[in-house]
Amino acid sequence: MVEKDYVLGWLLAGIYRQERLHGTWVFKGGTCLKKSYFETYRFSEDLDFTLTDESHLDSAFLVSAFGDVAAWVYDQTGIEIPAGQLRFDVFQNPRNRLNCEGRIYYRGPIAPSGGNLPRIKLDLTADELLVKPPVDRVVAHPYSDAPADGITCRCYDFDEVFAEKLRALSERGRPRDLYDVVNLFRNGQFRDAAEGILSLLQRKCATRVRQCLRRRCSPRIERSWKRTGPRCCSTSCPEIIRFAAANRMCVDLDYDGDTRRIEPYSLRRTKDDNVILHAIKVSTGESRSYRVDRMQGARATSQGFVPKYAVELTPSGPMSNPPTERSTTTVSRGFGPTRVASRTQGPTHVYECTSCGKKFRRKTRDSSLREHKTPDGWACRGRRAMYLTTAY
């Protein structure tokens, strides 16, 4: 999280030093509140912008512009943003205007040298009504390599940020929007600005005709509000789970409107770029997978567990999400074929001979050895092997 916060600061610096971007990109959202208004605010990792020039919502333009941003950031810091992994998906929103979702992959100071790189998500819109002029705000970047002249962004005015959050609260129904509104309400700046914020909200809502949240809210969202509130999001849930896993504690996971107690083991990234948690459901003893972005809450319990497989989650350090292994077996579950692991596959246990160091891969937890050849071709009579890990 610290590394991502560090990279966020330099990415913002690169965007606002890019001549093609800084004049028309206005910073907003939860990360704007954290980086430009309240340094002790909740951590937010997405970058949201309103673009005053809709022509920028073009994949080729964005790849070119962020190629220049990446080169500047690398020259300043050594943070690597591979140009070949820049992703910008432009699509039409429900109002028939263009939106864009971008993904910026990076290799920072502590990122692994191989495997999947961490990423920062961009959300770009061009049809938001900007009522008040943007303001220049200093970006919090409490690191020793901060630029001598600091980092400055063009941001939504505080009143307009508050009005946008109120509108988002009625449109999206996410518990974290409620968290933001309550915290902004408690801030001292609100009291003198209340009348102006109400006027801004009315003007913004006039541009979008929406049904009341209570009318259009799905049962799943209603359950999420009642059960979890703003306790957990896709950022904090993995941290709670990895802490519990490292200490061999079961987790009460709120998922899809229900709570289940699980034994957590590992995280994997699917072909569709979703991060899933592999776990065992305590009540049935069955293996289960849960998408991290659909988790609604997680709490470590006092109930311990004895691992049936190797626990790959650690309490700290970089979050490792290796890709999920694919198989060729398919089964039907009533809604089309589903790709599943073959019955002949499953976890493989890796052992190492304590005498010669040769490694063995087995389907069962068995550390006994027969006479075997060493890696150099000599005969070894070592009888015991040391358990190393379990591969899935």
Side-chain angles (χ1 to χ4, degrees), residues 152-347:
T152 303
C153 286
R154 296 181 73 236
C155 305
Y156 272 38
D157 179 86
F158 174 80
D159 296 1
E160 191 143 11
V161 172
F162 201 148
E164 283 285 351
K165 280 295 176 184
L166 286 168
R167 189 183 68 184
L169 182 65
S170 69
E171 290 185 358
R172 298 189 300 194
R174 294 175 182 170
R176 67 171 176 263
D177 291 325
L178 177 62
Y179 175 92
D180 290 334
V181 168
V182 170
N183 275 276
L184 293 173
F185 175 82
R186 289 174 176 169
N187 185 271
Q189 296 183 45
F190 165 76
R191 284 153 184 79
D192 294 335
E195 187 174 344
I197 292 172
L198 176 60
S199 175
L200 284 170
L201 178 62
Q202 291 170 336
R203 292 182 63 179
K204 286 178 171 291
C205 288
T207 65
R208 295 188 185 181
V209 179
R210 294 284 186 179
Q211 294 180 344
C212 171
L213 173 67
R214 186 174 297 277
R215 286 185 177 179
R216 72 181 190 89
C217 194
S218 71
R220 175 187 290 184
I221 295 178
E222 288 180 350
R223 288 195 298 268
S224 172
W225 275 77
K226 292 175 181 177
R227 296 182 62 86
T228 66
R231 289 183 301 178
C232 189
C233 64
S234 59
T235 299
S236 61
C237 281
E239 297 301 323
I240 296 168
I241 292 168
R242 71 194 292 199
F243 167 81
N247 291 279
R248 306 303 189 263
M249 297 187 298
C250 293
V251 171
D252 281 343
L253 179 67
D254 298 329
Y255 192 86
D256 197 19
D258 194 11
T259 300
R260 66 288 315 273
R261 183 159 294 189
I262 61 169
E263 300 174 6
Y265 286 92
S266 65
L267 291 171
R268 288 289 186 271
R269 189 176 296 278
T270 69
K271 183 176 67 174
D272 298 329
D273 212 25
N274 295 312
V275 178
I276 58 175
L277 169 71
H278 287 299
I280 290 179
K281 191 174 181 181
V282 172
S283 62
T284 63
E286 298 174 319
S287 297
R288 288 288 183 264
S289 298
Y290 305 98
R291 275 180 51 170
V292 170
D293 62 328
R294 293 179 179 174
M295 293 177 181
Q296 299 161 340
R299 296 168 299 285
T301 70
S302 59
Q303 178 180 342
F305 69 93
V306 178
K308 298 177 180 63
Y309 307 108
V311 177
E312 300 180 9
L313 298 171
T314 58
S316 60
M319 187 78 77
S320 177
N321 307 324
T324 301
E325 293 185 1
R326 301 285 171 178
S327 68
T328 58
T329 303
T330 60
V331 298
S332 177
R333 300 196 178 185
F335 44 85
T338 302
R339 190 176 292 268
V340 298
S342 168
R343 293 184 183 274
T344 61
Q345 296 180 349

Side-chain angles (χ1 to χ4, degrees), residues 58-123:
D58 175 79
S59 296
F61 170 84
L62 292 168
V63 169
S64 172
F66 273 86
D68 294 342
V69 171
W72 182 86
V73 170
Y74 181 80
D75 288 342
Q76 299 296 313
T77 66
I79 298 170
E80 183 183 352
I81 301 175
Q85 295 192 42
L86 293 171
R87 298 287 183 269
F88 296 97
D89 299 321
V90 180
F91 58 94
Q92 277 197 335
N93 61 30
R95 300 174 297 280
N96 294 320
R97 297 287 297 276
L98 293 181
N99 276 25
C100 177
E101 183 179 289
R103 295 174 182 173
I104 309 297
Y105 293 85
Y106 64 88
R107 182 174 287 112
I110 62 172
S113 57
N116 293 310
L117 295 179
R119 64 179 180 177
I120 292 171
K121 178 183 171 184
L122 271 67
D123 187 11

Side-chain angles (χ1 to χ4, degrees), residues 5 35 39 139-146:
D5 183 66
K35 301 295 287 184
E39 191 173 346
V139 172
H141 189 75
Y143 305 100
S144 58
D145 67 342

